[in-house]
Amino acid sequence: MKLQDILTLDCTICAAPGASKKRILEYLSRLAADKLDSHDTFQLLESLVKRERMGSTGIGNGIAIPHGRLNNATPTKPIAVVITTEQAINFDAIDHRPVDIFIALFVPEEQCQSHLSTLQSIAKIFREKQFCKQVRKCKSNQELFQLIQQAS
């Protein structure tokens, strides 16, 4: 599944305030919780934190892809949240650089295999330096959403 298939405008935020790794993870979780009847912000945050304990999802070049699993999820499809921050924050990324582009993914437990292909599609899109420059220049949620929808 591609990012464009699961991302919605209301889960796309441009230039969000971000002070810390914890606050960003909370914000990502809160946005996703608004889309789910079966999970609250705390449960989603817990799934992201659990994954971060295994190793940072900061993949380098100012990008992080935090992701977590959903038990008994309704709806039964993955949910993506994309946020850019006004200022980059320390996220323990593999290249030790701060992060300002966050692509969170919440996947139902039974869809772990499609989860891997979705992560690959996200990494492929954001591997392009020119695309990341365009993402960082976006001035509105709508502009960011449309840019991602047009990515190949």
Side-chain angles (χ1 to χ4, degrees):
M1 190 171 285
K2 296 189 315 187
L3 175 61
Q4 295 90 330
D5 298 332
I6 57 175
L7 183 65
T8 59
L9 179 57
D10 57 340
C11 285
T12 308
I13 306 297
C14 182
S20 68
K21 183 175 185 174
K22 181 182 179 195
R23 294 284 178 243
I24 286 296
L25 293 177
E26 287 172 348
Y27 192 42
L28 293 164
S29 299
R30 188 169 53 251
L31 287 170
D34 288 344
K35 304 291 262 181
L36 294 166
D37 294 329
S38 57
H39 290 75
D40 62 25
T41 301
F42 179 77
Q43 291 169 310
L44 297 178
L45 176 60
E46 197 173 71
S47 74
L48 293 182
V49 169
K50 181 178 178 182
R51 172 57 188 84
E52 288 297 320
R53 284 188 191 122
M54 294 177 2
S56 178
T57 56
I59 63 171
N61 297 318
I63 302 163
I65 311 174
H67 50 282
R69 294 185 180 171
L70 303 171
N71 299 324
N72 306 318
T74 305
T76 56
K77 72 174 200 169
I79 292 176
V81 180
V82 175
I83 293 176
T84 62
T85 55
E86 293 172 337
Q87 295 185 343
I89 61 168
N90 181 15
F91 202 80
D92 304 317
I94 59 171
D95 63 357
H96 306 289
R97 292 174 50 196
V99 174
D100 62 348
I101 299 173
F102 299 87
I103 308 100
L105 189 59
F106 298 91
V107 180
E109 190 84 49
E110 65 277 359
Q111 294 183 18
C112 287
Q113 198 56 40
S114 67
H115 167 80
L116 296 176
S117 66
T118 305
L119 285 173
Q120 287 175 331
S121 90
I122 292 168
K124 182 180 177 186
I125 293 169
F126 285 89
R127 175 177 33 219
E128 300 294 325
K129 289 186 181 199
Q130 189 60 37
F131 179 75
C132 290
K133 283 182 182 180
Q134 289 177 301
V135 166
R136 289 181 173 105
K137 288 181 182 177
C138 287
K139 301 285 187 220
S140 71
N141 299 351
Q142 180 72 38
E143 183 181 2
L144 178 58
F145 178 75
Q146 287 177 335
L147 179 65
I148 291 169
Q149 289 303 312
Q150 294 167 1
S152 56

